[in-house]
């Protein structure tokens, strides 16, 4: 039984709250302005609670042989859930975490200490600005999970941004993004079209009900220059407690349709989620 007490703090971009999970010792839920943002189990960093983090975890599991250390850049920090996951599953990985909200970073690192010996470097900075100053061909994985409130900022949706991401990745590198949308998927389609301007391989992972237009939800996009192990990814996502569909190839090209890549001057944030879409009971 977790008998820790909640912690609330006004940070640079909102009100953050750390709430202990009553069912798991040393496990915490982070909310920002009331919306669930991250979940961390300090005793079991390999445990991923949220659906979208589990799907990102599946991708991280198949991008290289099991256990191989990677150089990873995380755009968006939250409670540092996936950096902790990688430190557990791929020991020795070098990880940079870029989070615009310095107050949030301070709250998380103060109350949820990082695993001893983990090479995780937090940076308080705007994701695109940091990326523009990062060395070329310096990362194996670039993972984008950036939200301003409940929306992905517009300046992280354009061709210019995607080109910076491709520049920072090595030739065998993989780009991952967590993006929210609902039917008719104008935002998601445009983001796939934008990624296609810099990457040859594209994969979409989402819950079937979201893809059928039944509800607003998260989708995980994967992009790279080399083929992604779609078969392994499909097995992992289908067997998950929250099953998901993996789209690629012809099916994904049909999904993108005539969507156009996004220029900086046309960029808009991701759509506003409906009331209660990401709330907690």
């Amino acid at each position: 039984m977790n008998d820790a007490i909640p912690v609330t703090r006004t940070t640079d971009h909102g009100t953050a709250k750390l709430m202990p999970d009553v069912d798991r010792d040393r496990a915490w839920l982070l909310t920002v302005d009331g919306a669930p943002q991250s979940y961390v189990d300090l005793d079991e960093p390999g445990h991923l609670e949220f659906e979208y983090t589990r799907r990102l975890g599946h991708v991280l599991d198949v991008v290289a042989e099991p256990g191989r250390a990677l150089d990873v850049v995380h755009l968006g920090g939250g409670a540092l859930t996936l950096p902790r996951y990688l430190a557990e599953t791929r020991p020795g990985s070098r990880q940079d975490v870029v989070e615009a909200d310095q107050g949030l970073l301070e709250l998380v690192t103060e109350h949820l200490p990082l695993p001893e010996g983990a090479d995780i470097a937090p940076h308080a900075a705007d994701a695109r600005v940091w990326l523009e100053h990062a060395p070329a061909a310096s990362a194996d994985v670039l993972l984008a999970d950036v939200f301003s409130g409940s929306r992905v900022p517009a300046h992280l949706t354009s061709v210019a941004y995607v080109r910076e991401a491709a520049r920072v990745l090595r030739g065998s590198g993989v780009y991952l993004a967590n993006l929210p949308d609902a039917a008719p998927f104008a935002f998601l389609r445009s983001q796939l079209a934008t990624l296609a301007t810099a990457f040859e391989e594209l994969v979409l992972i989402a819950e079937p009900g979201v893809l059928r237009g039944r509800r607003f939800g998260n989708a995980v996009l994967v992009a790279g220059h080399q083929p992604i192990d779609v078969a392994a990814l499909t097995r992992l996502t289908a067997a998950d407690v929250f099953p998901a569909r993996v789209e690629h190839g012809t099916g994904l090209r049909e999904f993108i349709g005539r969507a156009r890549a996004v220029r900086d001057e046309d960029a808009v944030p991701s759509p506003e989620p409906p009331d209660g879409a990401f709330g907690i009971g």
Side-chain angles (χ1 to χ4, degrees):
M1 174 70 71
N2 193 341
D3 57 1
I5 61 173
V7 179
T8 302
R9 185 178 298 176
T10 300
T11 65
D12 302 9
H13 295 166
T15 300
K17 187 172 185 178
L18 286 171
M19 294 184 289
D21 186 336
V22 297
D23 296 320
R24 296 174 73 99
D25 288 342
R26 302 185 73 226
W28 296 82
L29 172 70
L30 169 67
T31 66
V32 177
D33 292 335
Q37 216 274 358
S38 302
Y39 181 99
V40 166
D41 187 330
L42 296 177
D43 289 331
E44 194 180 340
H47 173 74
L48 300 178
E49 182 80 6
F50 292 170
E51 292 183 36
Y52 83 88
T53 56
R54 295 175 70 87
R55 287 162 196 156
L56 289 166
H58 293 323
V59 180
L60 294 171
D61 289 345
V62 306
V63 295
E65 56 270 23
R68 190 186 116 198
L70 299 171
D71 294 333
V72 183
V73 174
H74 302 262
L75 302 180
L80 309 180
T81 303
L82 288 167
R84 298 171 200 269
Y85 178 81
L86 278 169
E88 175 83 4
T89 60
R90 296 184 178 276
S93 293
R94 294 187 303 170
Q95 303 186 71
D96 288 294
V97 181
V98 185
E99 168 59 56
D101 191 331
Q102 182 169 348
L104 180 61
L105 267 184
E106 292 171 352
L107 172 68
V108 167
T109 54
E110 176 185 342
H111 290 276
L112 307 180
L114 290 167
E116 188 174 346
D119 189 355
I120 301 172
H123 309 273
D126 175 81
R128 181 157 162 181
V129 172
W130 192 93
L131 207 59
E132 288 168 349
H133 291 87
S138 58
D140 299 306
V141 176
L142 177 55
L143 195 161
D145 186 16
V146 184
F147 285 78
S148 176
S150 56
R151 307 175 75 182
V152 177
H155 71 298
L156 304 182
T157 67
S158 69
V159 169
Y161 159 75
V162 166
R163 284 176 181 161
E164 286 300 320
R167 182 187 64 81
V168 171
L169 283 168
R170 297 180 177 127
S172 59
V174 178
Y175 177 86
L176 292 75
N178 171 40
L179 301 175
D181 203 3
F185 305 112
F187 180 74
L188 204 51
R189 295 177 203 272
S190 72
Q191 287 307 286
L192 284 160
T194 302
L195 285 169
T197 65
F199 297 100
E200 289 79 24
E201 300 288 333
L202 297 175
V203 173
L204 166 67
I205 310 167
E207 193 268 326
V210 171
L211 289 178
R212 293 188 187 114
R214 293 176 181 169
R215 66 181 182 91
F216 189 95
N218 294 87
V220 169
L221 304 190
V222 189
H225 296 300
Q226 298 183 5
I228 295 152
D229 192 343
V230 172
L233 200 51
T234 300
R235 287 193 298 271
L236 286 172
T237 56
D240 194 273
V241 65
F242 303 112
R245 236 167 69 196
V246 176
E247 295 287 349
H248 65 103
T250 302
L252 191 54
R253 287 192 292 273
E254 291 175 354
F255 178 83
I256 297 170
R258 297 183 178 181
R260 294 182 178 180
V262 178
R263 303 176 300 171
D264 269 338
E265 54 266 36
D266 302 323
V268 296
S270 62
E272 186 81 48
D275 288 346
F278 298 130
I280 53 177

